[in-house]
Short mmCIF file of all heavy atoms in Angstrom, two decimals:
data_model
loop_
_atom_site.label_atom_id
_atom_site.label_comp_id
_atom_site.label_asym_id
_atom_site.label_seq_id
_atom_site.Cartn_x
_atom_site.Cartn_y
_atom_site.Cartn_z
N SER A 273 125.20 90.58 -2.62
CA SER A 273 124.74 91.86 -2.06
C SER A 273 123.60 92.44 -2.88
O SER A 273 122.62 92.96 -2.33
CB SER A 273 125.92 92.84 -1.99
OG SER A 273 126.34 93.23 -3.29
N ALA A 274 123.69 92.36 -4.21
CA ALA A 274 122.63 92.89 -5.06
C ALA A 274 121.34 92.09 -4.91
O ALA A 274 120.24 92.65 -4.84
CB ALA A 274 123.09 92.88 -6.53
N VAL A 275 121.47 90.77 -4.83
CA VAL A 275 120.30 89.91 -4.71
C VAL A 275 119.59 90.11 -3.38
O VAL A 275 118.36 90.18 -3.30
CB VAL A 275 120.71 88.42 -4.89
CG1 VAL A 275 119.54 87.50 -4.54
CG2 VAL A 275 121.16 88.17 -6.32
N VAL A 276 120.36 90.23 -2.29
CA VAL A 276 119.76 90.42 -0.97
C VAL A 276 119.03 91.76 -0.89
O VAL A 276 117.92 91.85 -0.36
CB VAL A 276 120.82 90.30 0.14
CG1 VAL A 276 120.23 90.71 1.50
CG2 VAL A 276 121.35 88.88 0.22
N LEU A 277 119.64 92.83 -1.42
CA LEU A 277 118.98 94.13 -1.43
C LEU A 277 117.67 94.06 -2.22
O LEU A 277 116.64 94.61 -1.80
CB LEU A 277 119.90 95.19 -2.03
CG LEU A 277 119.31 96.60 -2.13
CD1 LEU A 277 118.87 97.11 -0.76
CD2 LEU A 277 120.32 97.56 -2.76
N HIS A 278 117.71 93.39 -3.35
CA HIS A 278 116.50 93.23 -4.16
C HIS A 278 115.43 92.47 -3.38
O HIS A 278 114.24 92.81 -3.42
CB HIS A 278 116.85 92.50 -5.46
CG HIS A 278 115.71 92.35 -6.40
ND1 HIS A 278 115.06 91.15 -6.60
CD2 HIS A 278 115.07 93.24 -7.19
CE1 HIS A 278 114.08 91.32 -7.47
NE2 HIS A 278 114.06 92.57 -7.86
N ALA A 279 115.84 91.44 -2.64
CA ALA A 279 114.90 90.66 -1.84
C ALA A 279 114.29 91.50 -0.73
O ALA A 279 113.09 91.40 -0.44
CB ALA A 279 115.60 89.44 -1.25
N ILE A 280 115.11 92.35 -0.09
CA ILE A 280 114.60 93.21 0.98
C ILE A 280 113.51 94.14 0.46
O ILE A 280 112.44 94.29 1.07
CB ILE A 280 115.74 94.05 1.59
CG1 ILE A 280 116.73 93.15 2.35
CG2 ILE A 280 115.20 95.11 2.54
CD1 ILE A 280 117.98 93.87 2.78
N ILE A 281 113.76 94.77 -0.66
CA ILE A 281 112.79 95.71 -1.22
C ILE A 281 111.51 94.98 -1.62
O ILE A 281 110.39 95.44 -1.33
CB ILE A 281 113.39 96.46 -2.41
CG1 ILE A 281 114.54 97.36 -1.93
CG2 ILE A 281 112.33 97.28 -3.13
CD1 ILE A 281 115.29 98.03 -3.04
N GLY A 282 111.65 93.83 -2.27
CA GLY A 282 110.48 93.07 -2.68
C GLY A 282 109.66 92.59 -1.49
O GLY A 282 108.42 92.74 -1.48
N LEU A 283 110.33 92.05 -0.47
CA LEU A 283 109.62 91.60 0.72
C LEU A 283 109.01 92.78 1.46
O LEU A 283 107.90 92.69 2.00
CB LEU A 283 110.58 90.85 1.65
CG LEU A 283 110.96 89.42 1.24
CD1 LEU A 283 112.04 88.88 2.16
CD2 LEU A 283 109.75 88.51 1.26
N GLY A 284 109.74 93.90 1.51
CA GLY A 284 109.24 95.07 2.23
C GLY A 284 107.93 95.59 1.64
O GLY A 284 107.00 95.92 2.38
N LYS A 285 107.85 95.65 0.33
CA LYS A 285 106.62 96.11 -0.32
C LYS A 285 105.44 95.19 -0.01
O LYS A 285 104.31 95.65 0.19
CB LYS A 285 106.82 96.19 -1.84
CG LYS A 285 107.71 97.34 -2.29
CD LYS A 285 107.84 97.35 -3.80
CE LYS A 285 108.66 98.54 -4.28
NZ LYS A 285 108.81 98.54 -5.76
N LYS A 286 105.72 93.91 0.05
CA LYS A 286 104.65 92.93 0.24
C LYS A 286 104.28 92.76 1.71
O LYS A 286 103.09 92.66 2.04
CB LYS A 286 105.09 91.58 -0.34
CG LYS A 286 104.06 90.48 -0.20
CD LYS A 286 104.58 89.19 -0.80
CE LYS A 286 103.56 88.06 -0.64
NZ LYS A 286 104.06 86.78 -1.20
N LEU A 287 105.27 92.75 2.58
CA LEU A 287 105.04 92.36 3.98
C LEU A 287 104.96 93.53 4.94
O LEU A 287 104.54 93.35 6.09
CB LEU A 287 106.14 91.39 4.43
CG LEU A 287 106.30 90.12 3.60
CD1 LEU A 287 107.42 89.26 4.16
CD2 LEU A 287 104.99 89.33 3.56
N THR A 288 105.38 94.72 4.53
CA THR A 288 105.27 95.90 5.41
C THR A 288 104.58 97.04 4.66
O THR A 288 105.17 98.11 4.46
CB THR A 288 106.65 96.35 5.91
OG1 THR A 288 107.49 96.65 4.78
CG2 THR A 288 107.31 95.27 6.74
N PRO A 289 103.32 96.87 4.28
CA PRO A 289 102.63 97.89 3.48
C PRO A 289 102.10 99.07 4.29
O PRO A 289 101.62 100.03 3.70
CB PRO A 289 101.48 97.10 2.86
CG PRO A 289 101.17 96.05 3.88
CD PRO A 289 102.48 95.68 4.49
N ASP A 290 102.16 98.99 5.64
CA ASP A 290 101.66 100.10 6.46
C ASP A 290 102.68 100.43 7.55
O ASP A 290 103.67 99.72 7.75
CB ASP A 290 100.30 99.75 7.07
CG ASP A 290 100.33 98.41 7.80
OD1 ASP A 290 101.20 98.22 8.66
OD2 ASP A 290 99.48 97.54 7.51
N LYS A 291 102.44 101.53 8.26
CA LYS A 291 103.40 102.03 9.24
C LYS A 291 103.59 101.09 10.43
O LYS A 291 104.69 100.98 10.96
CB LYS A 291 102.98 103.42 9.73
CG LYS A 291 103.07 104.50 8.66
CD LYS A 291 102.65 105.86 9.21
CE LYS A 291 102.74 106.92 8.13
NZ LYS A 291 102.31 108.26 8.64
N SER A 292 102.54 100.41 10.84
CA SER A 292 102.66 99.52 12.00
C SER A 292 103.56 98.34 11.69
O SER A 292 104.43 97.98 12.50
CB SER A 292 101.27 99.04 12.44
OG SER A 292 100.60 98.41 11.37
N ARG A 293 103.40 97.74 10.52
CA ARG A 293 104.26 96.62 10.15
C ARG A 293 105.67 97.10 9.81
O ARG A 293 106.66 96.39 10.09
CB ARG A 293 103.65 95.86 8.97
CG ARG A 293 102.57 94.89 9.41
CD ARG A 293 101.91 94.18 8.27
NE ARG A 293 100.79 94.95 7.73
CZ ARG A 293 99.95 94.50 6.81
NH1 ARG A 293 100.11 93.29 6.30
NH2 ARG A 293 98.95 95.26 6.38
N LEU A 294 105.80 98.29 9.26
CA LEU A 294 107.12 98.85 9.02
C LEU A 294 107.85 99.09 10.34
O LEU A 294 109.07 98.86 10.44
CB LEU A 294 107.00 100.16 8.24
CG LEU A 294 108.30 100.85 7.84
CD1 LEU A 294 109.15 99.94 6.97
CD2 LEU A 294 108.02 102.16 7.12
N ALA A 295 107.13 99.50 11.37
CA ALA A 295 107.73 99.71 12.68
C ALA A 295 108.26 98.40 13.26
O ALA A 295 109.35 98.36 13.86
CB ALA A 295 106.71 100.32 13.64
N ILE A 296 107.53 97.31 13.07
CA ILE A 296 108.00 96.00 13.53
C ILE A 296 109.28 95.62 12.79
O ILE A 296 110.25 95.13 13.39
CB ILE A 296 106.91 94.93 13.32
CG1 ILE A 296 105.75 95.17 14.27
CG2 ILE A 296 107.48 93.53 13.51
CD1 ILE A 296 104.59 94.21 14.07
N ALA A 297 109.31 95.88 11.48
CA ALA A 297 110.50 95.55 10.69
C ALA A 297 111.71 96.36 11.16
O ALA A 297 112.81 95.81 11.33
CB ALA A 297 110.23 95.81 9.21
N LEU A 298 111.52 97.65 11.38
CA LEU A 298 112.64 98.49 11.82
C LEU A 298 113.12 98.11 13.21
O LEU A 298 114.34 98.07 13.48
CB LEU A 298 112.22 99.96 11.78
CG LEU A 298 111.96 100.54 10.39
CD1 LEU A 298 111.44 101.97 10.49
CD2 LEU A 298 113.24 100.51 9.55
N ALA A 299 112.19 97.82 14.12
CA ALA A 299 112.57 97.39 15.46
C ALA A 299 113.33 96.06 15.40
O ALA A 299 114.32 95.86 16.13
CB ALA A 299 111.33 97.26 16.35
N SER A 300 112.90 95.15 14.54
CA SER A 300 113.58 93.86 14.38
C SER A 300 115.00 94.06 13.88
O SER A 300 115.95 93.43 14.38
CB SER A 300 112.80 92.97 13.41
OG SER A 300 111.50 92.73 13.88
N ALA A 301 115.16 94.95 12.89
CA ALA A 301 116.49 95.24 12.38
C ALA A 301 117.38 95.84 13.46
O ALA A 301 118.56 95.48 13.61
CB ALA A 301 116.39 96.18 11.18
N LEU A 302 116.83 96.77 14.24
CA LEU A 302 117.59 97.42 15.30
C LEU A 302 118.11 96.41 16.31
O LEU A 302 119.31 96.41 16.66
CB LEU A 302 116.71 98.47 15.99
CG LEU A 302 117.33 99.19 17.20
CD1 LEU A 302 118.53 100.03 16.75
CD2 LEU A 302 116.29 100.07 17.88
N PHE A 303 117.24 95.54 16.78
CA PHE A 303 117.65 94.55 17.78
C PHE A 303 118.67 93.56 17.21
O PHE A 303 119.62 93.16 17.89
CB PHE A 303 116.43 93.79 18.31
CG PHE A 303 115.71 94.52 19.41
CD1 PHE A 303 114.53 95.19 19.14
CD2 PHE A 303 116.22 94.55 20.70
CE1 PHE A 303 113.86 95.88 20.14
CE2 PHE A 303 115.57 95.23 21.71
CZ PHE A 303 114.38 95.90 21.44
N MET A 304 118.51 93.18 15.94
CA MET A 304 119.47 92.25 15.34
C MET A 304 120.83 92.89 15.16
O MET A 304 121.86 92.23 15.30
CB MET A 304 118.95 91.76 13.99
CG MET A 304 117.88 90.68 14.07
SD MET A 304 118.37 89.21 15.02
CE MET A 304 119.83 88.70 14.13
N LEU A 305 120.85 94.19 14.85
CA LEU A 305 122.13 94.88 14.68
C LEU A 305 122.85 95.07 16.02
O LEU A 305 124.07 94.97 16.11
CB LEU A 305 121.91 96.23 14.00
CG LEU A 305 121.52 96.17 12.51
CD1 LEU A 305 121.05 97.53 12.04
CD2 LEU A 305 122.69 95.68 11.67
N LEU A 306 122.08 95.33 17.08
CA LEU A 306 122.67 95.56 18.40
C LEU A 306 123.00 94.26 19.12
O LEU A 306 123.98 94.19 19.87
CB LEU A 306 121.71 96.40 19.25
CG LEU A 306 121.45 97.82 18.76
CD1 LEU A 306 120.44 98.52 19.67
CD2 LEU A 306 122.75 98.63 18.71
#
């Protein structure tokens, strides 16, 4: 759990540096959860 959270934050900083890419990430998470 600690390693995965660390990976999420690291990837998020690198791969979602702006609002448009962050929106894609959040939409992806939403669909995967539902």
Side-chain angles (χ1 to χ4, degrees):
S273 68
V275 171
V276 171
L277 178 58
H278 183 254
I280 292 171
I281 294 174
L283 285 173
K285 288 181 177 179
K286 180 180 179 181
L287 302 180
T288 58
D290 52 53
K291 292 181 180 179
S292 56
R293 279 177 272 187
L294 182 60
I296 291 176
L298 292 175
S300 300
L302 176 64
F303 277 102
M304 282 304 302
L305 289 168
L306 295 178

